[in-house]
Amino acid sequence: MSGPEASVRTVRAYLRSRGRAPATMIDRYAAVFGLAMIAAVLGHPLSGLLTGLAGPIDPVRAGAGAALLALAVAGFLAAARAAGPVLLPAADASWLLLSPLNRRHLLGRTARALGVIALVAGVLLGVGLLAVLGAPDQLGWRLVGALVLGVSATAGGLALAVLGQVSPSWQIWLTGAMAALLVLAVVAMSGQLRTVMTIAASAPLTALAAAASGAAMLSALLVRRAWTSLDRIPTRTLANASTRAGHVARATVSLDPGALTWIAEDNRWRARRLASRRWPSLPAPFALAWHDWRKLARTPGRLAAVAATAALPAVLAQAGGPPGALGAAVLAGALAVASLGTSGARRDADNPALARLIGVGRRPALAARAALPALLAGVWAATALTALTLAVPATPQTATVATVTATATAGAGAWWVLGLLAGPALAAAALRMAGRAPVDHSMPVLDTPGGAIPTGPLFWAATGPDLALLGCLPTAIALLTQPAVLTPFLIAQAVMGAVVLMGYVWRTGRMR
Amino acid sequence: MHDPIITTDNLMVELGGNPVLRNLRLTVSPGEIVAVVGPNGSGKSTLLRCLAGLQPATSGEIRVFGEPPADDAAFWGRVALLADEPAWYPGLTAREHLELMGAVHARPRMTVDAAMEAFALTERGDAPPLNLSTGQRQRLCLAAALLRPSTLLLLDEPERGLDAAFRDRLTGLLAAYADEGGTVVMATHDEGLAAGARQISPAGVGA
């Protein structure tokens, strides 16, 4: 055993001896038994799912599915880059990073964790790939090929992200890969790849084997390069990533995901170069609410990305999503978009010092701050519903909103109005999310046969979406039942949205 | 004779079973500058929180503008409180925070340009507040508190992070505020700031 390795091991052993009790034989038995149980429980449905993939599939669904897969991998790479991906626990970063310990040995544990992440994500990607392309013959071999391709893609992508931490030139490659995936998603969605998909789906096994081994070799080269350059990652980069991880861990332990968005937001703005602009003369509550508008105007790229996500429910519909899932995607997406316009309310809920100094009443402030999220959610939902009605006629076999819109008479083309009218209710829900208190861990824990369920986090997670569901009930019912005439739903949604928003502002503005 | 801005009578505050303030009697008139002095843990910040209505009294009475302090818009329209550093709004520059403060209040005490000048922030106006140094952030907080109109200014250790030269300037800025009829109550460890003010100690009964 070499000297430096011994020292990292010694330090880790010391830390372990001071920390929690070491794993006993019973612990290991429980872990292995748990894994065996999971395999036994999931084995049958999984094999059923896989055999169900045998046979050719519809090329339109394949295009949409490929687009979703490309977006998922791009998201995986973006998350890896945002996290580090090489990072240390905050305590290790403080105490062990700035020490003479061998850097590569110190980071070895992180590298192994990244390997496991790449493997799991790769397996999921491989199964997804098979589901998209189908398997006309030799299901077993095609599954192996898809898994190898999937794991190669995720492992190679993660290695690229690690290399991106080492030097900016690799960072460009990573950005290029993500851009290529986004382009691929758009092209796949537009139906241009139909011929390529058909050829790929019916490719002979030898071609698949060649593709899989080529991908595996390229990925292995990247992984090897990333492993050898682990000790060249600048300390500053590592320390930054690890501090972020420390915040994340703290936020996860205290189950206060709000803290995460603060950190991300503050870091982003600290890195930006801004130019002060005059504040418009508006009535006091609107002058206060103007902050959210200005902040959003300063992130045109993000706005464009958000606008592009309005196409996702349509992609999901083409990939064969059921109406319930499509409705949930539209409402959840619109709620998430509304939340982009509530950072002022979130800041004031977390720390009211500035709000007190500004001295605007809570009710007028809330009412003025509801305008932006209502507009964002309304426009996004309207766009998503329009895209859904436009996209679906391409797949007549999928029963969704458009099948009705195509045939129905007056009022049926007004799905987009329904989205717009859902805006106020979604704004109320987004403001409720922004103002919710941290998770209450003193709430009771439910003992169920499947294990203990703490109700505190459940209530926390439901605060906000509950109001969205209540306020968008007419839209939700319309999306599920696909009525021939929309007019009653439009009226109900207009009334419901206004009542929910006014009720929320009135009630919350009164509370202190 | 003007009515007092603040009166406390036999104010008692216990935190976690420990008495922090005991039988405190305090009267502050309009235009006065009061410095709450004393060692760490003597209850200076607690007294300020009581006056701002953020800490309920265990017993005794607090009156601000003749009635118990209330955490509402009408109260915060007259009272400017500066305690710990506030959370800054994301995406706004230092100057825009002052612009916001000026836009919300109908008659600000000074223009944004004048405030930037008075608090030596002109060169850092385009920086997000988190990119400023500790002292610059404290100057930004003070600028926001003094730009807006108010009748009562409650400051908890306003000298935090400030260099000696700016502390002297702050004494002058607070004196100007009091000359306009404003009332200042501040907890401070700075002898220079306290020297120009009526000094009280929360530990001293009936201060």
Side-chain angles (χ1 to χ4, degrees):
Chain A
M1 187 185 291
S2 66
E5 189 174 5
S7 29
V8 173
R9 284 199 178 171
T10 319
V11 172
R12 294 241 190 259
Y14 174 79
L15 290 174
R16 259 200 307 277
S17 69
R18 302 280 149 156
R20 63 192 169 88
T24 60
M25 284 304 285
I26 295 286
D27 292 337
R28 291 197 178 115
Y29 168 75
V32 171
F33 183 75
L35 284 176
M37 278 304 286
I38 290 172
V41 170
L42 292 183
H44 185 67
L46 256 183
S47 61
L49 182 81
L50 289 175
T51 40
L53 296 178
I57 67 153
D58 171 39
V60 176
R61 282 183 58 176
L68 285 180
L69 279 186
L71 287 179
V73 178
F76 175 74
L77 291 182
R81 178 152 75 173
V86 177
L87 47 86
L88 285 167
D92 280 6
S94 312
W95 297 99
L96 304 184
L97 191 59
L98 304 176
S99 72
L101 292 173
N102 182 313
R103 185 64 62 83
R104 200 184 304 163
H105 293 151
L106 189 62
L107 297 175
R109 190 189 278 182
T110 312
R112 282 195 294 278
L114 287 179
V116 173
I117 291 172
L119 186 70
V120 173
V123 166
L124 289 177
L125 179 63
V127 173
L129 208 58
L130 197 67
V132 166
L133 292 177
D137 56 0
Q138 303 273 1
L139 177 66
W141 285 112
R142 285 191 187 269
L143 176 64
V144 171
L147 289 182
V148 170
L149 276 174
V151 175
S152 304
T154 51
L158 263 188
L160 212 52
V162 172
L163 287 166
Q165 267 181 309
V166 178
S167 82
S169 56
W170 281 104
Q171 198 63 263
I172 297 170
W173 281 96
L174 183 62
T175 313
M178 281 158 59
L181 282 166
L182 289 180
V183 171
L184 180 71
V186 173
V187 175
M189 201 48 234
S190 68
Q192 302 290 322
L193 284 184
R194 222 164 274 176
T195 336
V196 182
M197 303 283 287
T198 321
I199 294 171
S202 55
L205 268 185
T206 43
L208 182 66
S213 33
M217 266 172 57
L218 184 65
S219 166
L221 277 175
L222 281 172
V223 168
R224 193 186 134 76
R225 180 132 203 185
W227 172 253
T228 49
S229 47
L230 259 189
D231 53 357
R232 290 208 308 276
I233 300 179
T235 309
R236 189 172 57 91
T237 316
L238 267 180
N240 280 346
S242 305
T243 322
R244 268 205 299 272
H247 285 308
V248 172
R250 213 171 317 150
T252 318
V253 168
S254 62
L255 272 171
D256 181 12
L260 285 180
T261 45
W262 272 58
I263 297 153
E265 195 130 41
D266 284 341
N267 280 344
R268 196 153 53 85
W269 290 110
R270 289 186 75 161
R272 282 279 302 268
R273 185 185 289 271
L274 299 173
S276 305
R277 288 168 56 199
R278 287 203 75 77
W279 213 259
S281 322
L282 294 166
F286 289 99
L288 173 64
W290 184 250
H291 153 242
D292 284 320
W293 293 79
R294 177 157 290 181
K295 183 182 146 262
L296 208 65
R298 287 191 161 147
T299 50
R302 174 178 275 216
L303 261 184
V306 166
T309 58
L312 279 180
V315 178
L316 194 63
Q318 290 219 333
L326 298 182
V330 170
L331 291 184
L335 181 59
V337 172
S339 303
L340 290 178
T342 59
S343 62
R346 200 164 61 231
R347 274 284 142 115
D348 285 349
D350 286 336
N351 182 341
L354 206 52
R356 288 188 188 122
L357 205 53
I358 288 170
V360 175
R362 286 194 63 178
R363 231 174 253 170
L366 263 181
R369 277 175 164 159
L372 179 63
L375 182 74
L376 285 173
V379 170
W380 192 91
T383 316
L385 285 173
T386 309
L388 211 52
T389 49
L390 290 178
V392 176
T395 51
Q397 73 275 27
T398 26
T400 55
V401 285
T403 51
V404 178
T405 11
T407 54
T409 52
W415 279 97
W416 65 273
V417 183
L418 201 54
L420 216 52
L421 291 176
L426 290 164
L431 286 171
R432 183 164 152 81
M433 276 167 78
R436 64 188 160 186
V439 176
D440 181 3
H441 291 290
S442 64
M443 291 191 72
V445 175
L446 297 180
D447 274 319
T448 68
I453 301 174
T455 51
L458 280 182
F459 272 89
W460 182 88
T463 309
D466 53 355
L467 202 58
L469 190 63
L470 177 73
C472 298
L473 213 52
T475 305
I477 294 173
L479 283 166
L480 276 174
T481 58
Q482 322 254 324
V485 179
L486 268 183
T487 319
F489 290 91
L490 291 175
I491 296 168
Q493 183 56 62
V495 173
M496 198 73 175
V499 167
V500 162
L501 181 57
M502 285 194 297
Y504 176 75
V505 169
W506 182 79
R507 192 169 176 278
T508 313
R510 195 186 50 181
M511 291 192 304
R512 271 189 279 282
Chain B
M1 176 74 191
H2 292 292
D3 288 335
I5 293 268
I6 295 171
T7 51
T8 69
D9 197 15
N10 286 326
L11 176 62
M12 282 266 290
V13 175
E14 286 185 3
L15 295 178
N18 294 320
V20 180
L21 295 175
R22 269 185 251 200
N23 300 326
L24 187 84
R25 196 164 293 162
L26 172 69
T27 306
V28 181
S29 307
E32 241 190 319
I33 301 180
V34 174
V36 187
V37 294
N40 294 140
S42 59
K44 301 189 296 295
S45 300
T46 307
L47 174 59
L48 282 185
R49 288 180 61 78
C50 285
L51 297 180
L54 301 176
Q55 171 68 53
T58 310
S59 67
E61 196 182 43
I62 310 167
R63 286 187 173 272
V64 179
F65 308 121
E67 49 191 55
D71 184 12
D72 60 20
F75 181 78
W76 294 118
R78 302 176 74 182
V79 178
L81 167 72
L82 189 58
D84 292 329
E85 186 182 331
W88 304 102
Y89 288 133
L92 295 193
T93 64
R95 187 190 170 92
E96 282 169 338
H97 275 88
L98 296 186
E99 292 256 4
L100 167 61
M101 200 59 78
V104 166
H105 293 282
R107 277 188 290 278
R109 286 186 60 243
M110 51 181 116
T111 63
V112 172
D113 285 325
M116 297 290 288
E117 182 81 36
F119 290 87
L121 290 166
T122 311
E123 286 172 11
R124 302 288 285 144
D126 284 344
L130 286 178
N131 283 5
L132 300 179
S133 74
T134 315
Q136 286 170 331
R137 281 208 299 278
Q138 181 66 3
R139 291 209 299 262
L140 181 62
C141 295
L142 286 164
L146 282 163
L147 182 143
R148 55 155 286 180
S150 59
T151 316
L152 173 63
L153 193 55
L154 299 173
L155 305 172
D156 193 0
E157 299 191 24
E159 72 275 12
R160 200 179 300 152
L162 298 179
D163 56 42
F166 195 82
R167 288 183 189 199
D168 287 345
R169 207 197 295 186
L170 182 60
T171 311
L173 287 164
L174 293 181
Y177 177 83
D179 287 344
E180 291 171 21
T183 307
V184 182
V185 178
M186 60 178 163
T188 183
H189 290 290
D190 186 82
E191 289 176 7
L193 273 175
R198 171 160 74 95
Q199 298 186 18
I200 65 153
S201 165
V205 177

